[in-house]
Amino acid sequence: MKETSFLLLQAQLRELFPNEGLHQLAIYEDQAGNILIFSTRGLHVLEEDDLTKKPRNIYFTPDCLKPFALRQRDGIFELIVETIKNRVFVLAFPDQTDAHQALQTLVDLLMERTI
């Protein structure tokens, strides 16, 4: 990620999460280049609008997410995040331990809301 992209992302995060510290978020880039931001409120997806090329934020509550899945494909471990409307986001990890750690982080983060 370029420095300007990082600074833009940081500004967007501060706007989306004004009352939460950025350390309370789990941020990943999926294989399609979307930025996925997990918080206790759910999943925010920052993606580029196809027509205007401007960034847009799409929000999914925890209730809109299907159970996460892990799979291995061509030596890469993938964490699958799917919504009830069948939007699929794939997070790739070179190591099985990293994939399991990400899965546990997301589960813990999203379960915080229900406790």
Side-chain angles (χ1 to χ4, degrees), residues 76-115:
I76 301 294
F77 295 89
E78 297 177 333
L79 174 56
I80 312 302
V81 178
E82 187 174 1
T83 70
I84 57 173
K85 293 197 177 207
N86 296 322
R87 289 273 321 257
V88 177
F89 305 98
V90 180
L91 307 175
F93 298 91
D95 183 69
Q96 183 177 9
T97 304
D98 294 339
H100 281 280
Q101 185 176 15
L103 174 63
Q104 189 62 52
T105 298
L106 298 183
V107 169
D108 290 347
L109 191 61
L110 294 171
M111 292 302 292
E112 250 183 67
R113 181 174 192 250
T114 59
I115 295 176

Side-chain angles (χ1 to χ4, degrees), residues 8-103:
L8 179 61
L9 174 61
Q10 188 175 26
Q12 288 175 310
L13 291 175
R14 291 193 190 284
E15 185 179 314
L16 286 171
F17 303 98
N19 300 325
E20 299 175 65
L22 299 183
H23 65 280
Q24 296 172 312
L25 307 174
I27 304 169
Y28 297 96
E29 185 172 359
D30 75 353
Q31 288 183 328
N34 299 311
I35 303 295
L36 307 181
I37 305 154
F38 295 88
S39 74
T40 55
R41 296 186 291 173
L43 167 63
H44 288 264
V45 180
L46 298 179
E47 59 183 24
E48 194 176 79
D49 185 274
D50 290 333
L51 252 50
T52 65
K53 300 299 181 195
K54 291 185 179 182
R56 66 178 171 185
N57 174 38
I58 300 167
Y59 172 63
F60 300 98
T61 63
D63 298 344
C64 292
L65 300 175
K66 292 183 179 180
F68 301 127
L70 286 174
R71 70 179 178 207
Q72 181 182 9
R73 181 181 290 174
D74 298 327
I76 301 294
F77 295 89
E78 297 177 333
L79 174 56
I80 312 302
V81 178
E82 187 174 1
T83 70
I84 57 173
K85 293 197 177 207
N86 296 322
R87 289 273 321 257
V88 177
F89 305 98
V90 180
L91 307 175
F93 298 91
D95 183 69
Q96 183 177 9
T97 304
D98 294 339
H100 281 280
Q101 185 176 15
L103 174 63

